Amino acid sequence: MYSPDIALGLGSLVYALSTLDGRPHQEEMQTAKALLGREPYGSVALNGFFLREDVRESPEEAYAFGMRRLVSKRTELTDRLKRRFVATLLRVARSHKGISANEWRFIRRFWHDIRHL
């Protein structure tokens, strides 16, 4: 299990991914709700996602916030958990017309940033 801070960070990262090409698509939102809802502190992760949507935060701002949450709790991030977060991002990206080039870049950036924590 991990802390609510990590859940909030994950929700923010999923939001950032889903807004790379504008507002989140319905399929991305449904997938995000299903996946984040199953996580520990899923309601916190979902609140992070929808709070950022309500204020229409930019993908870069949401990514920066999410990464700050993960960095602040890096001792809780196991290799298995890091891979699960990447898998979550991949599933959200695939949910609407497959993974775009921007989404691939985002996920690769995330993997690069998180694997060193």
Side-chain angles (χ1 to χ4, degrees), residues 34-111:
L35 294 174
L36 295 176
R38 286 186 242 159
E39 290 291 328
Y41 301 105
S43 61
V44 174
L46 288 167
N47 284 336
F49 182 99
F50 288 112
L51 173 65
R52 275 156 186 67
E53 183 186 19
D54 285 347
V55 297
R56 295 190 180 182
E57 193 167 71
S58 75
E60 278 303 315
E61 290 171 322
Y63 184 86
F65 179 88
M67 288 306 297
R68 282 194 306 272
R69 297 293 86 216
L70 297 186
V71 168
S72 74
K73 299 294 184 175
R74 67 178 147 263
T75 58
E76 298 177 32
L77 295 173
T78 64
D79 287 339
R80 184 177 180 186
L81 187 58
K82 292 173 188 178
R83 286 189 304 272
R84 191 167 90 212
F85 288 174
V86 169
T88 298
L89 292 173
L90 286 167
R91 288 187 62 191
V92 170
R94 282 187 191 115
S95 67
H96 178 73
K97 297 183 181 180
I99 303 175
S100 71
N102 283 340
E103 290 168 333
W104 274 120
R105 279 191 290 280
F106 179 96
I107 293 167
R108 281 195 304 270
R109 174 185 175 195
F110 174 71
W111 177 242

